[in-house]
Amino acid sequence: MSATPVEPTSHLRVVMGEEELLRARAVSAVRAAVFARHEDAEEHELAAAGLPIGQLADVLAPSLFGGHRLVVVTGVQECAGALADALVSYTKDPDPDLTLVIVHFGGKRNEALVKSFRSAGAALDECPKVTSVGDRIGFVRNEVRQAGGRITADAASALVDAVGADLRQLSAAASQLVSDFGGNVDAEAVARFHHGQAEVTGFTVAERVLVGDRAGSIEMLRWALQRGVAHVLIADAIADGVRTAARVASLSSTNPGELARILKLPPWKVKKAQAQSRGWSIDGLQQAIGVAAELNADVKGAAASADYALERAVRRIVTIRAETGRGRASAGR
């Protein structure tokens, strides 16, 4: 259920199933095993849909430079017949210096390809969809155990009730609970955690972004989206935070009362903006304002996915802060 496969030693491997998190973990485990044995291994990841046979042949051909290679072909349920034939043909005489992983997202399509790999001796990591509440509870308990904690049965059930069926969110919540509550998680801890997450707003996301907390800002963004906070509200909160920090940082005064009078803002907002502007340069804040302006258009229809646009903008702004902050620190030394 944790999707951590047995020591992946086979040079032919199939990762198959509908559960995306489990597939990702299975591939990561193979990757880790390959690089543990071959630290200079060369890696290629290819999407099967529309993949030219020639490109596949290039990465599977013996390397002129020696060394081990890892090739991951994802979404093989979508590959054309000729590509499937090429993959099957490779299994008849596999390169001992190459680990080939095919990833099938489940379903009946191209099952023959999987069977051919299995007949050729490929190892199989099954990643079935976790559909029952009992299995999700078991998943949570295992995640907590792997994070070094312990969780009561009623707490695991409460967490599944609170978070839902998404395994990534369940995994993140389990890890966070272990971290926040010292390793012992009970129903009261889950209630406190869930209450806090339910209060996430666009301003919560903006605060994490402005202080450069990449992991925290992404986590808060995903919680906000899950709780139904409107894309426009999150984008507006980020834009407001960046603009206010820029206005405060552009003035020479550091007196909150004086700044509040000049900017016609409440003193509490000035103090918060002062704290959030630390670590920023004026140039960095100007770049962030540009990203926020693009985001405003994206969430109002310019982008194909408002969720993706928000996450991309969050990552860009955090990166700008890190890069301009380093530059300013270097200039000051």
Side-chain angles (χ1 to χ4, degrees):
M1 183 59 63
S2 69
T4 302
V6 178
E7 180 82 14
T9 57
S10 173
H11 289 307
L12 291 175
R13 201 163 191 98
V14 176
V15 174
M16 183 175 187
E18 298 177 20
E19 197 61 68
E20 187 271 337
L21 174 63
L22 304 188
R23 294 197 310 264
R25 287 185 175 180
V27 173
S28 293
V30 176
R31 181 180 293 113
V34 167
F35 281 95
R37 295 184 180 88
H38 314 280
E39 60 181 21
D40 296 324
E42 181 182 326
E43 180 178 1
H44 301 271
E45 183 166 329
L46 308 169
L51 178 64
I53 295 177
Q55 185 177 351
L56 176 68
D58 285 344
V59 298
L60 295 181
S63 173
L64 296 175
F65 304 101
H68 200 85
R69 286 165 295 148
L70 169 63
V71 177
V72 180
V73 183
T74 63
V76 296
Q77 76 285 347
E78 299 293 338
C79 71
L83 185 68
D85 290 343
L87 286 166
V88 171
S89 178
Y90 172 82
T91 66
K92 296 174 183 176
D93 185 23
D95 185 343
D97 290 323
L98 187 148
T99 297
L100 173 61
V101 182
I102 63 168
V103 184
H104 190 292
F105 295 178
K108 298 293 185 182
R109 191 171 178 182
N110 271 336
E111 269 191 327
L113 171 60
V114 172
K115 290 178 180 177
S116 295
F117 264 68
R118 294 287 286 137
S119 296
L124 173 66
D125 294 312
E126 295 186 86
C127 309
K129 191 72 177 174
V130 179
T131 56
S132 75
V133 173
D135 283 346
R136 287 195 285 272
I137 290 172
F139 174 81
V140 165
R141 298 186 75 167
N142 196 49
E143 291 293 294
V144 169
R145 185 164 53 250
Q146 289 194 355
R150 304 171 71 179
I151 187 169
T152 61
D154 58 342
S157 179
L159 185 60
V160 170
D161 287 342
V163 174
D166 189 290
L167 291 197
R168 283 195 181 277
Q169 293 180 359
L170 284 171
S171 176
S175 297
Q176 193 66 50
L177 279 162
V178 172
S179 174
D180 289 352
F181 295 96
N184 293 311
V185 182
D186 57 18
E188 182 182 353
V190 172
R192 288 168 58 192
F193 173 81
H194 180 57
H195 177 69
Q197 299 306 326
E199 294 176 344
V200 170
T201 67
F203 292 104
T204 312
V205 178
E207 288 172 4
R208 298 291 183 95
V209 172
L210 281 160
V211 298
D213 181 0
R214 184 184 301 273
S217 59
I218 295 298
E219 180 186 359
M220 289 301 104
L221 172 62
R222 290 173 179 173
W223 275 111
L225 293 173
Q226 186 189 23
R227 298 294 173 234
V229 180
H231 298 96
V232 171
L233 294 181
I234 301 173
D236 285 348
I238 292 172
D240 179 70
V242 171
R243 284 196 302 265
T244 304
R247 292 173 68 193
V248 167
S250 67
L251 298 175
S252 57
S253 175
T254 57
N255 184 297
E258 183 180 357
L259 289 170
R261 287 192 299 273
I262 295 171
L263 299 174
K264 296 182 173 57
L265 294 172
W268 67 265
K269 190 168 186 177
V270 169
K271 290 180 180 178
K272 178 178 285 189
Q274 283 181 309
Q276 292 173 343
S277 65
R278 295 191 187 104
W280 282 94
S281 67
I282 295 298
D283 177 63
L285 286 166
Q286 289 173 341
Q287 292 181 47
I289 288 172
V291 174
E294 291 178 23
L295 176 61
N296 181 267
D298 285 341
V299 297
K300 292 179 180 177
S305 168
D307 284 11
Y308 174 73
L310 278 165
E311 184 161 331
R312 181 181 61 179
V314 164
R315 293 182 185 277
R316 287 175 65 192
I317 292 172
V318 172
T319 298
I320 289 169
R321 182 186 187 276
E323 291 178 348
T324 59
R326 284 198 298 272
R328 186 174 61 169
S330 298
R333 282 198 294 269

